[in-house]
Amino acid sequence: MHPSRPTVATESADIAMPPATNPLTTRQRRPTSSIRAGSATSVGLNRHSARTHPPSCANANLLPTPTDTATVDAATLCLIDRVRAAHHLRPLRSNHELQSVAATQVSDMVRHDYFGDNSPSGQSPGALIATLPYGAHAASFSTAQDVGWGTLSDSTPAGIVAAWMRSPPHRETILTAAFRDAGIGVAPAVPTVIGRGNRGATYAVELAVRG
């Protein structure tokens, strides 16, 4: 059996809502440690590295299945908040609209067999958030997204969050103090193009703050 390789990508955007007019002004920006929107960065994770420090969140080592995605979502956000607390940052508030975007993102990747931040049609998570009340009712907002996938034991919340934290761009996104809200999405499968038939899971986390 070949060891799995969790893989992650990050995307960030600032979106300003123009006063009472039409098109959105969308500026894709690099999160402080720069990575191009839609690019994927491979992150190797030792099979046992996620368990070096026992997770303090319930269900952190749960393998995602179709019946436990809500539990996995909660465990993933808990782990992210634990990391933020260790760096003296406030916890993120779970937001159902951001969760909907994250869930759409992971299901779209599995259904259309790709791995990246933007859909094959070119739609970014930030553009989707802008169509929802979260963005549409705000003067401005900033968003960032981390996505990741893993197989076997690396597909747990602990495995994915460990992979994000080992990658500087994803770590920077999670440790951005300005973010206030978050939504987690997980699909208990991986795109065929990258999973090679192995069982696993695909994750996304949307982080945002409104101005």
Side-chain angles (χ1 to χ4, degrees):
M1 181 179 296
H2 299 290
S4 58
R5 297 184 59 196
T7 303
V8 293
T10 187
E11 184 264 357
S12 186
D14 289 328
I15 297 182
M17 306 298 291
T21 60
N22 321 311
L24 296 174
T25 303
T26 305
R27 178 167 62 87
Q28 296 290 341
R29 67 172 171 82
R30 298 181 177 190
T32 329
S33 65
S34 37
I35 187 170
R36 287 176 299 122
S39 64
T41 304
S42 294
V43 175
L45 180 65
N46 182 286
R47 182 59 59 111
H48 301 292
S49 63
R51 293 187 290 275
T52 301
H53 302 288
S56 52
C57 294
N59 303 303
N61 288 314
L62 187 64
L63 292 171
T65 69
T67 60
D68 65 14
T69 54
T71 302
V72 171
D73 289 352
T76 304
L77 183 57
C78 174
L79 288 168
I80 289 172
D81 279 339
R82 291 282 183 175
V83 169
R84 287 174 63 88
H87 289 81
H88 311 291
L89 302 175
R90 69 178 67 187
L92 298 164
R93 298 171 299 209
S94 179
N95 180 278
H96 71 93
E97 291 179 70
L98 298 180
Q99 191 276 331
S100 174
V101 172
T104 297
Q105 175 74 9
V106 294
S107 63
D108 192 66
M109 284 192 283
V110 172
R111 182 181 305 112
H112 296 290
D113 201 19
Y114 72 96
F115 179 71
D117 292 298
N118 297 340
S119 70
S121 67
Q123 184 180 52
S124 70
L128 182 55
I129 292 169
T131 68
L132 302 175
Y134 185 93
H137 296 168
S140 64
F141 65 96
S142 293
T143 70
Q145 173 184 261
D146 283 348
V147 298
W149 68 273
T151 58
L152 309 175
S153 62
D154 288 332
S155 66
T156 64
I160 294 296
V161 173
W164 282 333
M165 293 305 294
R166 286 165 64 94
S167 166
H170 307 85
R171 176 186 177 91
E172 190 115 20
T173 295
I174 289 171
L175 296 181
T176 296
F179 289 130
R180 294 290 179 266
D181 306 307
I184 308 289
V186 60
V190 295
T192 304
V193 68
I194 52 177
R196 300 183 183 135
N198 289 318
R199 293 184 59 188
T202 307
Y203 287 71
V205 54
E206 311 296 334
L207 299 97
V209 61
R210 293 189 282 192

